[in-house]
Amino acid sequence: MLLPKTGKDFLQNENGQKWEETKIEDNDTIPIKKRKNCKARWTKECADAQKPLNIALKETWANNGNRAGIQRYLTARTHFNATIQKSNRESYRELAEWWCAAYLGFRESVVVNVSPAFVLDLPPFKSVQSWIQFATQVVCGQHKAIQSVLRPEFVNSVKSSSLKSGSSGPCLIQYYRLYNACRVPEYNVDKYVVYPSGAPNSPRHIVVMCLNQMYSVDILDQEMRLLDPDEIYRRLFAVYMTSSMSQSSSSSSTVDPLASSVVPFGALTALHRDDWTNCYKLMSQDSDNVAVFERIHSSMFVLCLDYDSGQGATTGETSKEGTSSEKRRQRVSFLSRLSLHGGGSKRHSCNRWFDKTMQIAVGSDGYLAVLFEHSTAEGTVSSHYTVLMEQFAADVKVSDAVMSEKISPQRQSITPLVFKVNSPEIVQSVLKAKQLLDHTAESLDLNVCIFDSFGKSVIKTFKVSPDAFFQVSLQLAMFRYLKDKYGTSPDEQTLVPTYESGSLRNYRWGRTDTIRSASKEALQFARMVSKLGSQDLEVCRSLREAISSHSKYTRDVMSMKGVDRHLMGLKLAYNELLKKDPDLQMPQLFKEPFHAYFSEILLSSSQVPSERDGFVSFGPTSLDCTGVCYNIQKSSILFMVSTFHASERTNSQLFMKYVEKSLDTLKEVFEFEQSSHIGAKTEKPKSKL
């Protein structure tokens, strides 16, 4: 159902064996670019960035003595994996894992650096019972969402939303790699494990974390049917009671808490990946620990019950002064940070297993957070799951009778997951991980904005793409921010390397490519409006050109005419060839100034559309990077800005104000254009997702 449509027969392997043509149904394979197409696109990118392309690129594709060129190797490897050497589904899985190395090869902590999160602010729960009741609804809703994506009705509905006329619609493989799955630490490059779903041997359990302790809880019966909500409620309540008693016993003991049963092993998943791998290998020397790891990896998802002792009160970081809207903004900003890192070791950071593909946190303070490991899926897919979960959860009923029961934890079917500390190094690593989590929580500077002056409805009256409108606003905001910060003139100030995610899901195993929003047209507009103001006809034309340029780039990227993923493919091909031939010299292509420029992203952005009030957040990709995630709704625009406190270049709250001002500026320009009755050539708005 989900396999690519075509392959091609050309080239041979090292033994001279031809790789045969294979025709596979449904989504097209990701095409490999030809040299002339690459050079044309790269030349334009370099010109926009004022980074000259000094080489003809010929040596990148030509043969190097007896060795095949990198481009030829990349093309051959792609088509080899599309042939009938193995089953087509298996061979394409291998190809996807090869590309996935860009994610799994990242060696810093996944916390903030890799994993995005969604958060929804809720009223504080009035009692433990109401908190566990909501958690039960979430568990049942999430399982029903997982089951729904396996049905033909879901496949047909998503396929019918195809962006490409006549195509088979988006590839759905990301939906099936978000549950029953986990990232597993390995040296140099981690691995990913996905367990079967819908089969008799499929996982029937979830992992529930509460007060830094882990439990395996079955939510399906032997026939793979969801248990009654009342029974799930009893089991979750038993987890809370057992965790509370264990923590009380541990805190009153005179022994070292790290030597007790409440060792926050979840913190280890926040370590540098190689440090975590060391611990993982040591712990795996004990067969009981291996069984615990297996139970975590194979679980459908992880439920994090975040209990606050100040239950019933708003414990978020909000100021006592300010308007109600500002207090809400501060509260959601706090929750967005909390959703990414857990708030530090003294709050909920140790109540996480950050390697798990999907974690759902329900806070007694009043929030729902969904944190997902980014290696196998994009934010739009995770967001869609959350929408489905909320819809199904609303219909789940927990009886009043069970909520008034006196539940005995000993009689409930829950299994504590306790690791054995088989090395002093593990104890020290837990302490190190807690310190790292505290540092991460303190270093992240994240603020959200609920921009309610206008939204998608108003933008569409200007007959432009809402996404392009926001992206050009973002470029203007960064232009103004840097100009004011460093005191440069409009003619001196430039834009910064920018990433916007462009979906490639119309292709088999497609993920994203980079939409580079920092175009020469956007720079020209920023300079003109800074000098001439918003009430000028030339500024109006310049804005139209900037938005049109961005919309065209978006369409090109979604048609596999972008630059970055092909560059990544060539680099991966070179690295693979280097293992076979250590004397292979790095191609001049990767020494060019433009390659270093493209590799340094200073403004990272992504749109995750939804009509909900929740926020999707992610961290900056480097010390001086600014992250922006946005959701353009009908009458408002929700966006978050993330930076690091340690950076002298960035400031999330200040940049948020610049974005608000720039959004208003673009609206003023278009309103002036309308009042002037300019017959500008307009484009039909097109969504990029």
Side-chain angles (χ1 to χ4, degrees), residues 279-293:
C279 295
Y280 183 83
K281 300 294 185 184
L282 281 173
M283 295 171 69
S284 296
Q285 293 175 6
D286 188 290
S287 60
D288 290 340
N289 287 344
V290 171
V292 173
F293 280 132

Side-chain angles (χ1 to χ4, degrees), residues 22-50:
T22 301
K23 290 187 176 180
I24 311 171
E25 297 301 322
D26 233 34
N27 295 87
D28 294 335
T29 59
I30 294 178
I32 301 299
K33 295 178 179 61
K34 297 181 180 179
R35 175 166 58 90
K36 63 179 182 180
N37 296 335
C38 288
K39 185 177 179 182
R41 170 60 71 181
W42 289 348
T43 301
K44 182 183 184 305
E45 294 299 326
C46 294
D48 285 359
Q50 299 179 357

Side-chain angles (χ1 to χ4, degrees), residues 162-165 456 459-460 462-471 500 515 547-548 550-556 558-559 607 609 630 632 682-689:
S162 171
L163 302 178
K164 188 168 61 174
S165 177
K456 188 183 303 182
I459 297 173
K460 286 186 174 181
F462 306 137
K463 295 182 170 55
V464 297
S465 159
D467 178 73
F469 182 98
F470 187 88
Q471 283 291 327
E500 180 193 359
I515 303 170
I547 288 181
S548 177
H550 183 274
S551 296
K552 182 180 184 303
Y553 200 140
T554 300
R555 293 191 293 270
D556 286 347
M558 295 177 67
S559 301
Q607 179 184 188
Y630 56 100
I632 307 174
T682 59
E683 58 173 326
K684 184 179 178 180
K686 294 185 178 181
S687 170
K688 74 183 182 69
L689 296 171

Side-chain angles (χ1 to χ4, degrees), residues 53-238:
L53 185 63
N54 296 322
I55 62 173
L57 301 181
K58 183 177 179 180
E59 57 89 17
T60 305
W61 286 269
N63 288 341
N64 298 324
N66 294 325
R67 293 188 298 266
I70 295 176
Q71 170 75 6
R72 182 175 179 179
Y73 179 84
L74 175 63
T75 307
R77 196 191 196 288
T78 301
H79 290 303
F80 178 72
N81 278 275
T83 65
I84 57 175
Q85 300 297 321
K86 299 180 182 179
S87 70
N88 293 314
R89 182 178 295 276
E90 178 68 14
S91 59
Y92 266 94
R93 187 197 66 79
E94 287 187 356
L95 179 62
E97 295 301 335
W98 188 61
W99 285 83
C100 200
Y103 295 94
L104 298 176
F106 183 78
R107 306 321 292 160
E108 297 298 324
S109 171
V110 298
V111 184
V112 174
N113 297 311
V114 173
S115 302
F118 162 84
V119 69
L120 183 66
D121 189 16
L122 303 170
F125 295 102
K126 297 180 180 179
S127 65
V128 170
Q129 287 80 0
S130 61
W131 170 47
I132 300 299
Q133 177 191 32
F134 181 77
T136 302
Q137 292 174 311
V138 166
V139 168
C140 295
Q142 182 62 31
H143 177 261
K144 292 180 179 181
I146 291 171
Q147 292 302 302
S148 72
V149 304
L150 298 173
R151 299 191 181 106
E153 296 86 350
F154 174 81
V155 175
N156 294 335
S157 67
V158 175
K159 290 288 186 180
S160 66
S161 65
S162 171
L163 302 178
K164 188 168 61 174
S165 177
S167 79
S168 55
C171 175
L172 302 181
I173 194 65
Q174 293 183 38
Y175 283 94
Y176 310 119
R177 293 166 66 85
L178 270 176
Y179 56 90
N180 299 1
C182 196
R183 182 171 180 157
V184 178
E186 290 284 354
Y187 292 116
N188 299 322
V189 179
D190 292 346
K191 67 179 181 180
Y192 222 89
V193 293
V194 182
Y195 292 77
S197 179
N201 61 338
S202 298
R204 297 189 296 115
H205 68 285
I206 63 173
V207 168
V208 182
M209 301 187 71
C210 185
L211 298 173
N212 305 339
Q213 300 160 69
M214 293 183 287
Y215 299 82
S216 175
V217 178
D218 283 354
I219 63 170
L220 305 181
D221 63 18
Q222 295 289 344
E223 303 298 324
M224 303 302 291
R225 294 172 301 195
L226 184 67
L227 296 176
D228 183 79
D230 284 3
E231 179 59 27
I232 294 176
Y233 172 90
R234 292 186 184 97
R235 296 183 180 190
L236 297 185
F237 199 90

Side-chain angles (χ1 to χ4, degrees), residues 471-535:
Q471 283 291 327
V472 174
S473 299
L474 207 56
Q475 294 301 316
L476 177 60
M478 183 59 76
F479 179 91
R480 286 171 164 173
Y481 171 79
L482 294 175
K483 180 175 70 68
D484 293 348
K485 182 176 181 63
Y486 297 109
T488 54
S489 68
D491 290 331
E492 294 173 323
Q493 185 57 53
T494 60
L495 302 178
V496 300
T498 303
Y499 168 88
E500 180 193 359
S501 59
S503 175
L504 300 181
R505 286 176 55 213
N506 274 340
Y507 297 92
R508 172 67 170 155
W509 293 99
R511 295 292 298 270
T512 63
D513 202 345
T514 304
I515 303 170
R516 292 195 170 269
S517 307
S519 65
K520 64 179 181 181
E521 292 84 1
L523 176 59
Q524 179 68 14
F525 165 70
R527 286 174 172 171
M528 288 188 68
V529 75
S530 296
K531 292 186 289 187
L532 303 177
S534 59
Q535 311 294 300

